[in-house]
Amino acid sequence: MIKKDELPECPVATTVSLIGSKWKLLIIRNLLVRPWRFNELQKDLAGISQKVLTDSLRSMESDGIITRTVYPEVPPRVEYALSELGESMRPIIKSMEAWGKSYKEDRL
């Protein structure tokens, strides 16, 4: 977890430090739809390694962006979902989606 005094002064830089990696943004994009299991995320995010997915999920959980729920079943089932803080990023991701769509339509 990033401590408050370790965060950049600039609010944009703070946001980028929390969700600025390619994989974190794509994980959040998926979790905006529904909770996902680890293997589902790994299959959907072509090219992500197990280590990078694990590290990204742990980091976002530590920062309070996602929640990890372990269900007491055999075998254990673990689901990742957006926390309330993560849900507050919905407008940011939707704006990025709209901009990307517009760019593709206008430029390509």
Side-chain angles (χ1 to χ4, degrees):
M1 178 180 210
I2 299 173
K3 295 181 175 130
K4 190 172 185 177
D5 62 334
E6 297 172 337
L7 292 171
E9 286 188 41
C10 171
V12 173
T14 296
T15 304
V16 169
S17 71
L18 292 170
I19 64 163
S21 80
K22 165 187 173 180
W23 296 117
K24 285 183 180 181
L25 285 169
L26 295 177
I27 291 166
I28 292 169
R29 175 205 63 193
N30 283 19
L31 295 178
L32 283 170
V33 177
R34 63 175 174 83
W36 288 65
R37 295 175 72 176
F38 184 92
N39 288 336
E40 290 178 312
L41 285 168
Q42 192 171 23
K43 287 176 188 172
D44 192 69
L45 302 172
I48 193 169
S49 70
Q50 181 174 343
K51 180 183 180 346
V52 170
L53 180 55
T54 299
D55 290 348
S56 297
L57 291 169
R58 285 182 181 161
S59 172
M60 290 191 299
E61 182 182 11
S62 173
D63 292 332
I65 296 169
I66 66 169
T67 59
R68 179 179 184 268
T69 304
V70 180
Y71 294 92
E73 302 172 352
V74 177
R77 178 172 52 110
V78 178
E79 285 186 344
Y80 297 90
L82 289 177
S83 65
E84 188 175 330
L85 178 63
E87 277 290 338
S88 73
M89 293 181 186
R90 185 176 293 276
I92 297 168
I93 304 301
K94 290 298 179 186
S95 292
M96 291 175 73
E97 178 184 28
W99 187 90
K101 184 178 179 181
S102 175
Y103 178 85
K104 286 173 73 173
E105 289 172 356
D106 295 344
R107 301 278 301 209
L108 303 177

